[in-house]
Amino acid sequence: AQSQSAKDWEAERGELKSELELQRKLHADIKLIADEALQQCTSLRAELEEERLQSKAKVDALAESQTVDAQSAKAWEAERGELKSELELQRKLHADIKPVADAALQQCTSLRAELEEMRLQSKAKVDALAAAQAAEAQSAKTWEAERGELKSELELQRKLHADIKPVADEALQQC
């Protein structure tokens, strides 16, 4: 019985050793898998953290952009109100100025017509004056020529008188 027990124990011991060896191999395989999984988890954790930081930056930028957009919208709304008020004021000014501008334009048109009439009258006067001056100049030339002729005639008459006077004086004395 003891030898049977020793055989059983030896068989069990062999099985236990085989099982232990198998467990060691499984443990070594599982450790490699676990190390690989840990390394992948560490890598994924780093990627996840990077992604989280990028997402946070995007969210922060979007929130800031929305704040800026909201401020821009408020500023634009205020500016829009100012522009509407300015436009209304310009319309009122235009309504007030238009009749004055129309009257001024009418006056300018009338003054332009008067100025054109005066210009035509002045041109007619200048033309008439120029014609009168030309006629005067022609008359002066004619008169100058006539004056020359009269002077020559007068000179001739003086000479004749000078020639005739002694003869007339002699004739008078003889008579």
Side-chain angles (χ1 to χ4, degrees):
Q2 242 183 354
S3 108
Q4 183 60 35
S5 261
K7 284 183 182 179
D8 287 344
W9 183 84
E10 199 55 40
E12 190 176 330
R13 184 173 167 240
E15 288 174 13
L16 287 173
K17 275 187 170 184
S18 294
E19 180 70 24
L20 183 59
E21 189 58 32
L22 183 63
Q23 289 298 319
R24 284 183 182 145
K25 285 181 182 176
L26 283 174
H27 178 75
D29 290 346
I30 289 172
K31 182 163 180 358
L32 287 175
I33 292 170
D35 287 345
E36 179 69 24
L38 181 62
Q39 192 173 359
Q40 284 183 8
C41 282
T42 303
S43 178
L44 285 172
R45 186 175 287 122
E47 285 180 36
L48 184 62
E49 182 61 18
E50 180 65 26
E51 188 68 32
R52 189 188 67 75
L53 290 173
Q54 287 178 359
S55 292
K56 183 181 181 317
K58 287 178 184 176
V59 167
D60 290 348
L62 185 59
E64 186 177 329
S65 173
Q66 285 177 340
T67 301
V68 168
D69 287 348
Q71 289 172 346
S72 294
K74 284 180 184 177
W76 186 84
E77 196 59 40
E79 186 178 349
R80 182 173 170 251
E82 290 171 11
L83 289 173
K84 277 186 162 184
S85 297
E86 181 68 22
L87 181 60
E88 189 58 33
L89 179 62
Q90 290 299 321
R91 285 181 179 147
K92 286 178 182 175
L93 286 173
H94 178 77
D96 291 345
I97 291 171
K98 187 172 182 339
V100 175
D102 288 343
L105 181 61
Q106 185 65 35
Q107 262 187 333
C108 284
T109 303
S110 296
L111 288 173
R112 188 174 287 125
E114 285 180 38
L115 184 63
E116 183 62 19
E117 181 62 30
M118 288 175 65
R119 190 187 67 76
L120 290 173
Q121 288 175 1
S122 292
K123 184 179 182 316
K125 287 179 184 177
V126 167
D127 290 348
L129 187 58
Q133 284 177 338
E136 269 185 40
Q138 188 61 37
S139 292
K141 285 180 184 176
T142 304
W143 184 81
E144 196 60 42
E146 192 176 315
R147 183 174 169 244
E149 290 172 12
L150 288 173
K151 275 187 165 183
S152 296
E153 182 69 29
L154 183 60
E155 191 58 37
L156 182 61
Q157 290 298 321
R158 282 187 185 141
K159 285 183 183 175
L160 283 175
H161 179 71
D163 290 345
I164 293 174
K165 186 167 184 336
V167 173
D169 283 344
E170 177 127 359
L172 184 58
Q173 225 175 33
Q174 285 183 12
C175 287

